[in-house]
């Protein structure tokens, strides 16, 4: 129901360990088995006292994690994807000094009995504050924007610090309205402990 990116989440040593023990060996093993990997490899990890443990691998850009992650990147994503498909390294630049937060707005009844057709307002106001609003479960009918799925919008912001990014995201969320709108109010809360 949300995600955040915080440069304080992992130390450089932890990143190096993850790359050396998990990511690079997985890619090398796929190559050895005759199925070389090209694309995005996402590792779901659990950090333990004995080091990182892999929970899962995904080969897709899932949301809302991607919305928070890519909010800190610049460049042409389509070109980077093409470069990756052609076997080259993608050319994306990261603003590693920024933190970002994505809060998912869900429809009434989510997740079991989703109601659709509620009018959505305030997106332009949220974007005027600097948020990027990603559409997931929306549809246009004439001049109206309506809910059409369970997870409706991903409201994403960035800032120099996580506390600022969290505050910006929730200020932007406050500008948006649709009947039955629900969302978590604790996105980024665990990360705020480091600040």
């Amino acid at each position: 129901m949300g995600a955040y990116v915080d440069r304080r989440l992992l130390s450089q040593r932890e990143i190096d360990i993850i790359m050396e023990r998990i990511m690079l060996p997985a890619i090398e093993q796929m190559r050895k088995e005759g199925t070389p990997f090209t694309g995005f490899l996402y590792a779901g990890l659990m950090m333990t006292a004995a080091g990182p443990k892999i929970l899962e691998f995904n080969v897709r850009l899932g949301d809302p994690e991607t919305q928070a992650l890519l909010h800190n990147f610049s460049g042409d994503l389509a070109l980077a994807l093409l470069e990756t498909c052609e076997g080259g390294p993608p050319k994306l630049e990261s603003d590693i000094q920024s933190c970002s937060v994505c809060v998912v707005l869900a429809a009434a009844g989510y997740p079991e009995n989703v109601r659709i057709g509620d009018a959505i307002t305030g997106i332009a106001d949220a974007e005027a504050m600097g948020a990027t609003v990603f559409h997931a479960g929306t549809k246009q009918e004439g001049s109206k924007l309506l809910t059409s799925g369970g997870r409706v919008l991903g409201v994403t912001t960035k800032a120099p610090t996580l506390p600022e990014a969290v505050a910006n995201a929730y200020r932007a969320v406050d500008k948006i309205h649709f009947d039955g709108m629900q969302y978590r109010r604790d996105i980024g809360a665990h990360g705020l402990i480091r600040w």
Side-chain angles (χ1 to χ4, degrees), residues 105 120-135 140 143 145 153 155 171-177:
L105 306 183
I120 303 167
T121 60
I123 291 175
D125 294 332
E127 290 178 336
M129 297 177 63
T132 300
V133 181
F134 294 94
H135 293 246
Q140 191 80 37
S143 63
L145 184 65
L153 300 167
V155 180
R171 276 194 292 274
V173 164
D174 286 343
K175 299 292 184 184
I176 298 172
H177 176 78

Side-chain angles (χ1 to χ4, degrees), residues 163-183:
E164 290 174 274
V166 168
N168 291 345
Y170 284 106
R171 276 194 292 274
V173 164
D174 286 343
K175 299 292 184 184
I176 298 172
H177 176 78
F178 53 88
D179 287 344
M181 182 174 91
Q182 56 179 320
Y183 57 93

